[in-house]
Amino acid sequence: GWLQASGDFDSLGGPEDVATLCSKLVMDGRLEAATSMRPALASALAKCEAGKRSFTCRALAHLLGTLFSGPRQILEESPLEGCLEAFSKRLGISGAKSLSVEFDHRSHLRGGVLRVRADKNGNLGEELTQCTGNPPWPSVAAPGEALWLSFEPGTDGGNCFRVAISGEVDLSPGVSLDSGLWLL
């Protein structure tokens, strides 16, 4: 009613505040697409460039925020000719609460050792698993968004491996596909 009566956004703090309020109401399930507020908003937006920008920016923030959620996977593999040098490498998926590590069944470690370690504030943490010989090696769960993969080649050479690291990234707090579509 406030928008229909006044016809402008300034009566509720400006266009950015109105866009934020509408976004929150949609996320709380208190404002549906078929609401009578749409004609009043359309009328006010027709008169206000700042309002159009605010609603468009807020809608895009919601819509783009939903794109970054969902499953993610990274692959780490040795060179085709085999891995001959030792390394420790931090790998991760930003925003994941935990990671799952799976080993390719075609991997083989002839004298080499492949270790998966937890990440402890950017440093090597506890060892989660150690792989030698030939698979199958069990899948490993690592807490947090990062882990360490360490390799020691041994003396026999001919070490090849491929590791798939997966994680689920949640929506950022305050992001909603419904809100983005409603505001747009």
Side-chain angles (χ1 to χ4, degrees):
W2 58 268
L3 195 56
Q4 289 172 334
S6 69
D8 68 33
F9 293 111
D10 293 329
S11 62
L12 195 65
E16 181 61 32
D17 289 343
V18 174
T20 301
L21 174 65
C22 289
S23 171
K24 288 180 181 176
L25 289 173
V26 171
M27 286 178 26
D28 291 344
R30 296 172 42 204
L31 189 61
E32 296 177 8
T35 182
S36 62
M37 192 169 160
R38 274 189 180 263
L41 275 173
S43 174
L45 285 170
K47 302 178 222 170
C48 180
E49 283 300 314
K52 291 177 191 174
R53 279 192 306 275
S54 293
F55 270 68
T56 301
C57 288
R58 178 67 61 171
L60 289 174
H62 280 284
L63 295 173
L64 291 174
T66 61
L67 294 177
F68 295 107
S69 66
R72 301 282 184 269
Q73 185 177 65
I74 54 177
L75 297 174
E76 183 67 27
E77 57 189 338
S78 63
L80 288 175
E81 65 275 1
C83 193
L84 303 173
E85 294 184 26
F87 69 83
S88 283
K89 187 174 192 178
R90 186 176 189 262
L91 302 167
I93 298 174
S94 183
K97 291 182 180 173
S98 65
L99 301 173
S100 173
V101 182
E102 295 185 17
F103 304 95
D104 190 297
H105 70 279
R106 295 168 291 189
S107 300
H108 56 273
L109 299 174
R110 295 189 181 106
V113 178
L114 186 64
R115 290 184 170 88
V116 178
R117 295 179 180 265
D119 179 70
K120 187 173 182 179
N121 300 321
N123 296 310
L124 290 169
E126 72 175 288
E127 186 174 295
L128 302 173
T129 194
Q130 175 178 308
C131 303
T132 59
N134 295 320
W137 300 315
S139 297
V140 178
E145 64 181 30
L147 58 82
W148 287 85
L149 192 65
S150 299
F151 176 72
E152 297 164 20
T155 57
D156 295 342
N159 298 295
C160 291
F161 58 87
R162 184 173 184 183
V163 180
I165 300 164
S166 306
E168 183 77 26
V169 178
D170 292 335
L171 281 176
S172 297
V175 173
S176 159
L177 179 61
D178 290 338
S179 292
L181 293 174
W182 194 95
L183 290 170
L184 200 54

